[in-house]
Amino acid sequence: MNAPENESFRDSIATINEEGKRAWIFPKKPSGKFYDYRKYVSYFLLAFLFSAPFIKVNGNQFLMFNVLERRFNIFGFPFWPQDFHLFVISMIIGVIFITLFTVAFGRIFCGWICPQTIFMEMVFRRIEYWIDGDRGKQLRLKKSGWTSEKIRKRVLKHTIFVIISFFIANIFLAYLIGSDKLLGYIKEGPLEHLGTLIPLLIFTGIFYFVFSWFREQVCIIACPYGRLQGVLLDNKSIVVAYDHKRGEGENGRKKWRKNEDRATLGYGDCIDCLQCVHVCPTGIDIRNGTQLECVNCTACIDECDTIMEKIGLPTGLIRYASEANIEDKEPFKLTARLKGYIVVLTVLIGVLIAMLQLRNELEARVLRLPGQLYEHKENNIISNVFTYKLVNKTTEPVEDVSFKLKDYKGTVKLVSTENTVTVPRQGLEEGTLFIELDQSLLKGDKTELTIEIYSKDKLIETTKVNFLGPRSF
């Protein structure tokens, strides 16, 4: 968006120096209206993240992603492998939702909601400011020798970083294996569960590495979302933008001088103080236009507004705006592209809601036993053997489960290995059953039957099977 003619700044990133080595970013501690809003949002999301594994809805963990056992809970709804289509639709909805907001508001997800940004800026960076001080003190500390004060600060900071990383790893584990199981492991002692402790320590190391060393490079190098926004953004997308028309004027930027009539001299409102650069957590100059590294954190907006207030100029030199708004004062409106995304998102949400409403609490699958044809019994009775699998998705056991055939009467009967079975809560029940039919009722060598599954005489599920018999001539 309106980058300068010399775009050599795009040939490198702020975290790499001319020698190709890591260049540390020491951002100034942000403050201001947007930063306060971000703190409220971040603390709410952190509270949600830490509490979600321990919240139960109808006995189900609010959020759980147990990949090993293929069990997932989303907002208290349990999902099994049989519900994978629902999980896929949910993921597609999430992708389209993020895409819609990226087209409309740029990389706003990164600056306000992304866990990487929240942990980095609202947890680890704030601890760093508390121990090491603001930008100037951090720079001086880095250049100083290894004095007792520097060693003390480094040991204290990294000890806290490791403790927080270990805590985050435990929360992450609660999402994977379930909070009840995690609390059980803690009570029994870590040495009793080395198979879990070792991955826990590995994740602790990964989190520590990311937040103590890799930091903003996750957003710049590792995360694909920055590349995605380059494809999705257009000149009507609302992003954190520098008003180059107002900031540059006719003769460009100029340092501030008291009682100087900048408008008469043709200079813009930007006083080239570089505070927007110093406060940026990824080290970019927002005045160069929209860049891949910008995470829309609004730190530059707050800092610029503070400077403008101090020198008596209007705020909003850096603000949420689109290129069309800066160039032509065009207000934000829904484009055909945005309307298309909204329609698709609405349809998919409607489909997901309908599928959730139709979703059965007990999933039944009845299949013919592999390698078996049929058995011809006395009185023209044909018998087929089947296996059944019942999945209980609820937190209560399903008792007195029985099988019946639909639309077939008289000599038709369903013979199970047991009269009834009980399916444990959030569990699985498997077994074998026989279906016997009078040969006169068969429709050729393959007849489709509907099996009804009852619990205490209440119909809870139906499924279809193919019944094999002798070919009729």
Side-chain angles (χ1 to χ4, degrees):
M1 179 187 290
N2 296 305
E5 293 183 3
N6 180 13
E7 296 197 5
S8 60
F9 68 91
R10 297 193 188 278
D11 296 335
S12 61
I13 57 177
T15 56
I16 304 295
N17 61 26
E18 294 179 355
E19 299 175 352
K21 297 181 179 179
R22 171 73 182 276
W24 280 90
I25 302 295
F26 295 94
K28 181 181 178 182
K29 185 177 181 179
S31 62
K33 177 181 66 176
F34 283 105
Y35 185 66
D36 289 339
Y37 292 157
R38 285 178 59 217
K39 283 195 293 186
Y40 301 147
V41 172
S42 297
Y43 295 151
F44 170 77
L45 292 176
L46 285 172
F48 175 80
L49 178 71
F50 293 146
S51 61
F54 304 96
I55 296 174
K56 298 292 181 67
V57 178
N58 295 325
N60 295 317
Q61 186 170 310
F62 191 69
L63 286 175
M64 184 176 72
F65 306 94
N66 192 334
V67 178
L68 297 178
E69 296 180 8
R70 296 179 296 173
R71 289 174 54 194
F72 305 89
N73 289 349
I74 300 178
F75 304 138
F77 288 98
F79 290 86
W80 291 72
Q82 293 84 354
D83 298 316
F84 186 70
H85 58 290
L86 297 175
F87 187 75
V88 170
I89 291 178
S90 300
M91 293 300 101
I92 293 174
I93 289 174
V95 170
I96 294 178
F97 184 80
I98 293 176
T99 301
L100 169 64
F101 270 80
T102 303
V103 173
F105 304 111
R107 208 170 171 179
I108 192 171
F109 172 84
C110 298
W112 291 76
I113 302 175
C114 177
Q116 162 68 21
T117 303
I118 291 175
F119 276 117
M120 187 68 252
E121 302 303 322
M122 297 300 173
V123 179
F124 288 88
R125 193 88 77 182
R126 287 177 66 83
I127 291 172
E128 198 163 58
Y129 289 136
W130 170 57
I131 296 175
D132 292 346
D134 207 343
R135 170 182 164 81
K137 291 183 178 180
Q138 290 184 26
L139 287 169
R140 289 192 294 272
L141 189 65
K142 179 178 174 59
K143 294 176 182 178
S144 67
W146 284 97
T147 62
S148 59
E149 180 186 7
K150 183 174 181 177
I151 293 173
R152 179 181 62 80
K153 288 185 175 181
R154 288 288 186 267
V155 170
L156 176 61
K157 182 175 72 173
H158 287 281
T159 300
I160 294 175
F161 281 4
V162 170
I163 292 172
I164 295 176
S165 298
F166 181 73
F167 179 69
I168 296 172
N170 275 274
I171 296 298
F172 182 72
L173 188 63
Y175 280 98
L176 291 181
I177 67 173
S179 57
D180 292 339
K181 187 177 290 187
L182 174 65
L183 294 175
Y185 287 175
I186 293 174
K187 291 178 181 178
E188 294 170 11
L191 297 180
E192 297 294 325
H193 303 280
L194 289 177
T196 302
L197 178 63
I198 293 174
L200 180 66
L201 295 177
I202 291 174
F203 278 112
T204 299
I206 292 173
F207 288 129
Y208 171 74
F209 168 76
V210 167
F211 294 117
S212 67
W213 191 86
F214 206 51
R215 300 195 157 197
E216 68 283 337
Q217 294 188 107
V218 173
C219 308
I220 298 173
I221 300 173
C223 180
Y225 189 48
R227 278 77 178 168
L228 180 65
Q229 75 162 351
V231 179
L232 296 176
L233 294 182
D234 57 30
N235 66 345
K236 293 179 175 57
S237 300
I238 304 293
V239 295
V240 172
Y242 166 68
D243 189 340
H244 63 96
K245 283 198 162 187
R246 175 187 155 192
E248 304 298 314
E250 295 179 2
N251 297 323
R253 313 162 189 161
K254 186 177 185 296
K255 294 291 184 181
W256 173 252
R257 288 185 180 179
K258 193 174 182 181
N259 299 325
E260 182 179 58
D261 191 346
R262 298 175 66 89
T264 302
L265 295 173
Y267 293 110
D269 284 356
C270 179
I271 63 173
D272 206 21
C273 62
L274 297 179
Q275 294 305 302
C276 60
V277 179
H278 293 161
V279 80
C280 179
T282 58
I284 66 169
D285 188 341
I286 193 62
R287 297 172 299 176
N288 288 331
T290 300
Q291 297 156 68
L292 177 149
E293 298 95 324
C294 179
V295 294
N296 281 210
C297 70
T298 69
C300 56
I301 296 180
D302 283 331
E303 198 65 26
C304 185
D305 283 351
T306 301
I307 298 297
M308 292 294 106
E309 289 173 355
K310 288 180 179 179
I311 62 177
L313 292 176
T315 59
L317 181 58
I318 303 175
R319 63 182 187 273
Y320 274 119
S322 65
E323 181 179 352
N325 177 261
I326 292 174
E327 292 285 352
D328 307 315
K329 305 298 181 184
E330 183 179 317
F332 174 76
K333 59 183 180 181
L334 291 178
T335 63
R337 186 180 177 195
L338 286 173
K339 291 177 181 177
Y341 282 125
I342 291 173
V343 169
V344 172
L345 188 62
T346 303
V347 170
L348 285 175
I349 291 175
V351 170
L352 179 61
I353 292 173
M355 295 178 75
L356 287 173
Q357 293 295 325
L358 296 173
R359 176 174 175 263
N360 293 322
E361 295 182 344
L362 186 136
E363 184 86 20
R365 177 166 295 184
V366 180
L367 299 173
R368 291 188 65 261
L369 191 65
Q372 297 291 327
L373 292 177
Y374 60 88
E375 182 182 357
H376 204 147
K377 294 187 173 182
E378 296 179 352
N379 301 321
N380 287 329
I381 297 299
I382 305 298
S383 175
N384 279 202
V385 60
F386 295 84
T387 61
Y388 65 85
K389 181 183 292 186
L390 304 176
V391 178
N392 182 5
K393 303 174 185 176
T394 69
T395 56
E396 298 294 333
V398 180
E399 300 176 341
D400 296 332
V401 178
S402 59
F403 304 87
K404 297 180 182 179
L405 288 181
K406 182 182 179 182
D407 298 331
Y408 285 87
K409 300 180 181 180
T411 57
V412 179
K413 61 179 180 178
L414 182 67
V415 181
S416 175
T417 52
E418 298 179 16
N419 292 329
T420 61
V421 296
T422 298
V423 187
R425 66 184 189 92
Q426 293 187 346
L428 176 70
E429 183 69 26
E430 298 178 281
T432 305
L433 57 84
F434 298 89
I435 298 179
E436 296 183 351
L437 259 127
D438 192 296
Q439 185 173 347
S440 63
L441 299 176
L442 300 182
K443 302 174 182 178
D445 58 344
K446 184 182 293 185
T447 303
E448 186 178 77
L449 303 178
T450 299
I451 299 178
E452 296 178 330
I453 295 96
Y454 288 81
S455 174
K456 296 180 179 179
D457 298 324
K458 177 185 176 183
L459 180 64
I460 57 175
E461 175 67 306
T462 60
T463 186
K464 294 183 182 296
V465 297
N466 286 320
F467 187 93
L468 298 184
R471 186 185 298 272
S472 58
F473 295 95

